[in-house]
Amino acid sequence: GSGLVFAGSVCRLYVEPNPQSALLMHIGQFLNNLAGPFAMSIGPPLSAAWFAPRERTFSTSVVGAVNYGFMVITFSVGPALVPAGAGNVC
């Protein structure tokens, strides 16, 4: 999963206003999206390996909530990292 995110990030590093750059950005985003199921499906295997059968439902739900909770945090923190007058980069 992390290899796909890395490859997708490398593809999106080259930013120029031309069709090749747009193609690389699309390929990078596609590779990044392929890694999503690996990251979001860790709950059940983790619960099966570390928790007793009676605790697995709770631990799986906690992992799912934490995954979505961190997504909320990243969408909240991201705009704070960009200066107010940055404007449109493209």
Side-chain angles (χ1 to χ4, degrees):
S2 60
L4 290 171
V5 172
F6 177 76
S9 298
V10 169
C11 287
R12 291 181 295 175
L13 283 176
Y14 178 72
V15 179
E16 293 288 327
N18 59 38
Q20 292 83 11
S21 178
L23 179 65
L24 278 174
M25 283 189 262
H26 282 87
I27 291 171
Q29 190 61 36
F30 178 74
L31 292 173
N32 195 359
N33 288 335
L34 283 177
F38 294 108
M40 297 304 290
S41 65
I42 191 66
L46 183 72
S47 295
W50 285 359
F51 295 98
R54 292 183 48 156
E55 301 170 337
R56 289 181 187 160
T57 303
F58 179 72
S59 63
T60 302
S61 64
V62 168
V63 169
V66 167
N67 270 336
Y68 287 111
F70 278 116
M71 277 193 263
V72 169
I73 291 170
T74 58
F75 279 114
S76 302
V77 171
L81 298 176
V82 178
N88 191 359
V89 178
C90 296

